[in-house]
Amino acid sequence: MTDVLIVGAGPAGLSAAISCAERGLQVQVIDEFMRPGGRLLGQLYQEPDGSWWNGIEEAAKLQDKAASLGVELQLGISVIDLNHSDDGWMVYTSTGILKAPALLLATGAAETACPIPGWTLPGVMSIGAAQVMTNVHRVRVGMRGVIVGINVLSMAIAQELELAGIRIAAMVLPAKNMINHDAGDPRKVMQSIVRLGHLAPSPLLRLGSGLMRYTPLQSLGLHLYPKGGFKVWGIPVQLRKAAVEIEGIEKVESVRVANLSPDGNIVPGTSRSLPVDFVCMAGGLYPLAELAAVAGCPFRYIPELGGHIPLHNARMQTPLAGLFVAGNITGIESAKIAAAQGTVAGLSIAAFHQVSGTEEDLRESIQNLRITRAKASIQFHPQVAEGRQRLESIYSENFS
Amino acid sequence: METQSVIVCRCEEVDLKQLLETAERYSCSSRELKLRSRAGMGYCGGRTCRLLVDSIVQQLTDTQASNEIPLKHQPPVRPVTFQNLGGGLS
């Protein structure tokens, strides 16, 4: 009999599986992908201290540990529906029905679309797809491409593509339109990437760790921003240029790029075509919470965490009996934080099953999660901690 | 290319122009806009355009995002084969 079913074999799901299995629970983990590890599989980057984070190795460590503890792992299975009955959670999958008294949703995030004309042409892909093709499948996505959308995720993946020998001609913004306003606004983008100052060899971006945090200076920075952009890992990062259209007959042939005013408006007469054979669209991430919605979990809109978040407390517990969440479904943060959240959720599930002596470990894991968050070198949103605080207050006002 | 010809819902091939015209003509809620245009009703279950459709309506009606997930999620949340639908699952 399965004590807990975990949906998602990424850093959160596997870490939760480990902490549940260590406390004697019978754990089953399922994942849609054919390899465990989730988005860890795509990750390869250098930490500020110079060491390398190799996501494939991290995923293998988690998988081996889970396997050694008797965790049952099934891959290539999708959940299509779920509901709660007196027997616990009934989870309908592409291969049959699974049941467990406790259910952990660790389904991660999905990419936000930022459409521009031509984005449906073959050769255009999301930045996450390029990462998976490069680092997981080892398939070259093209010879020379453009990344449309400048954010924490696309900067990290740009470096991975360069490491794989794939040339990025430029990183530019998507032209502002009704559906991708913030991603096309140089000021907003500047605000979000100045926090990556430590990664950037350019003086302007490096200022980000200090002075550039002040809005008037960001504006000045934009006025001074060179037309050719700054090079980060050899890639021109062009906050003052936007992709207006992706061109091609049967596949991507070029990207039409135009200069932007500091307000993000196209400067007329400045557009030119950049020949490329692939384009990556990078609109950011949002929590993939469809299963929590189908389960009937209440949500709150918390922009700092990436959008609509299933309501949960510090123990990763939702208001629904036996339903837990961990990882990016609870807000967009790094894999290390997802793993720490998974450990909390696993201990919380052990406490739900009344495994004795878990309360102290649970308190310690919550503390450890806060420390991990405070030390995070890559932050997706500057006010993550505030957003989390707000969510926890809402939970305690309504459900404790 | 005219910006309004940009495809918003890839699965059902609905462009921005269609969505704007429909939303203005019927003063649509997100749900009504989805039902009238089929944006968000395709193979991917709205994973790509759900937020975009909602954002268009928010801007046209000058409203803020609510706590509810825009355009309710309904099972099945992934495509299901007829075999599974008809008897593979019991």
Side-chain angles (χ1 to χ4, degrees):
Chain A
M1 173 73 189
T2 303
D3 295 313
V4 53
L5 177 66
I6 298 175
V7 184
L14 289 177
S15 301
I18 290 166
S19 68
C20 285
E22 280 174 343
R23 272 145 195 93
L25 299 185
Q26 202 60 47
V27 187
Q28 189 173 10
V29 181
I30 59 176
D31 196 289
E32 212 162 40
F33 201 54
M34 70 283 198
R35 274 178 71 175
R39 296 321 298 261
L40 273 177
L41 297 174
Q43 295 177 359
L44 182 64
Y45 62 83
Q46 203 165 13
E47 303 275 13
D49 70 4
S51 64
W52 283 84
W53 172 263
N54 182 335
I56 291 177
E57 285 172 9
E58 298 300 323
K61 277 186 225 164
L62 290 173
Q63 185 192 357
D64 291 348
K65 180 120 190 242
S68 73
L69 290 162
V71 170
E72 192 190 329
L73 175 65
Q74 277 180 285
L75 299 165
I77 299 179
S78 302
V79 175
I80 55 179
D81 192 10
L82 73 172
N83 57 47
H84 191 252
S85 70
D86 293 342
D87 297 341
W89 289 95
M90 302 273 285
V91 176
Y92 301 80
T93 77
S94 48
T95 56
I97 302 172
L98 301 170
K99 287 181 211 173
L103 174 64
L104 172 65
L105 300 177
T107 47
E111 290 185 77
T112 309
C114 58
I116 58 169
W119 75 305
T120 51
L121 276 172
V124 183
M125 65 200 81
S126 73
I127 190 78
Q131 184 185 41
V132 171
M133 278 174 75
T134 306
N135 292 352
V136 183
H137 301 298
R138 311 276 168 176
V139 171
R140 185 189 261 278
V141 291
M143 301 302 287
R144 180 177 192 265
V146 160
I147 295 176
V148 180
I150 302 175
N151 53 46
V152 177
L153 186 69
S154 68
M155 302 262 286
I157 299 174
Q159 187 193 22
E160 295 176 11
L161 295 175
E162 282 283 334
L163 286 169
I166 298 164
R167 195 151 162 244
I168 305 299
M171 294 183 72
V172 299
L173 302 185
K176 245 199 310 196
N177 59 34
M178 204 168 169
I179 33 190
N180 52 41
H181 24 107
D182 282 6
D185 184 333
R187 270 201 189 91
K188 295 225 164 97
V189 174
M190 184 83 149
Q191 279 165 18
S192 77
I193 63 165
V194 287
R195 288 172 292 113
L196 291 175
H198 59 274
L199 300 176
S202 89
L204 191 58
L205 289 180
R206 207 164 44 224
L207 270 173
S209 43
L211 284 175
M212 292 290 287
R213 279 178 199 264
Y214 299 100
T215 319
L217 277 170
Q218 286 171 10
S219 189
L220 182 66
L222 279 173
H223 282 281
L224 298 174
Y225 205 83
K227 285 281 187 295
F230 279 109
K231 286 203 169 173
V232 180
W233 305 298
I235 304 165
V237 177
Q238 297 175 316
L239 279 181
R240 292 283 303 277
K241 285 189 197 292
V244 179
E245 184 184 350
I246 300 165
E247 302 163 316
I249 309 288
E250 285 181 345
K251 58 186 171 65
V252 173
E253 289 164 23
S254 56
V255 181
R256 183 154 285 276
V257 172
N259 292 348
L260 289 178
S261 71
D263 297 322
N265 297 315
I266 303 285
V267 180
T270 58
S271 82
R272 67 190 179 96
S273 283
L274 218 56
V276 292
D277 62 357
F278 76 97
V279 175
C280 297
M281 305 299 295
L285 298 168
Y286 73 91
L288 188 62
E290 47 203 351
L291 291 177
V294 170
C297 183
F299 277 74
R300 284 296 178 277
Y301 180 67
I302 314 275
E304 298 91 327
L305 300 179
H308 290 88
I309 311 292
L311 198 53
H312 62 278
N313 62 13
R315 301 162 69 105
M316 312 313 285
Q317 208 169 11
T318 73
L320 305 186
L323 186 70
F324 299 81
V325 286
N328 270 0
I329 188 176
T330 75
I332 306 306
E333 294 188 81
S334 74
K336 286 177 194 169
I337 292 171
Q341 285 182 316
T343 303
V344 172
L347 290 165
S348 194
I349 291 163
F352 169 84
H353 275 291
Q354 293 169 335
V355 176
S356 64
T358 52
E359 278 301 325
E360 195 175 322
D361 289 347
L362 178 54
R363 270 196 299 278
E364 205 173 293
S365 71
I366 292 171
Q367 196 50 36
N368 177 49
L369 169 58
R370 297 219 164 100
I371 295 166
T372 308
R373 182 169 290 129
K375 287 197 303 199
S377 62
I378 292 181
Q379 259 193 349
F380 285 83
H381 196 286
Q383 269 104 40
V384 163
E386 289 84 339
R388 294 219 165 265
Q389 197 59 52
R390 202 157 80 243
L391 197 67
E392 284 171 25
S393 317
I394 296 167
Y395 191 101
S396 61
E397 282 159 24
N398 292 285
F399 296 101
S400 36
Chain B
M1 197 192 267
E2 174 67 29
T3 306
Q4 291 203 349
S5 66
V6 63
I7 298 275
V8 175
C9 174
R10 304 178 62 127
C11 305
E12 296 288 321
E13 294 193 31
V14 185
D15 66 22
L16 182 58
K17 187 161 182 259
Q18 280 167 272
L19 289 168
L20 289 175
E21 282 174 1
T22 310
E24 272 161 21
R25 181 161 168 207
Y26 298 101
S27 314
C28 288
S29 65
S30 304
R31 178 171 155 75
E32 187 182 343
L33 183 55
K34 164 180 133 175
L35 294 173
R36 286 190 182 277
S37 67
R38 290 200 58 80
M41 294 176 77
Y43 187 86
C44 86
R47 237 176 309 162
T48 309
C49 71
R50 167 180 276 107
L51 297 173
L52 304 175
V53 170
D54 196 53
S55 147
I56 290 168
V57 171
Q58 276 175 39
Q59 286 176 71
L60 291 179
T61 56
D62 202 18
T63 49
Q64 301 282 313
S66 82
N67 281 323
E68 298 309 311
I69 287 198
L71 306 176
K72 190 179 170 212
H73 286 282
Q74 315 229 42
V77 298
R78 290 289 180 278
V80 183
T81 61
F82 276 119
Q83 187 188 9
N84 277 350
L85 201 62
L89 296 177
S90 52

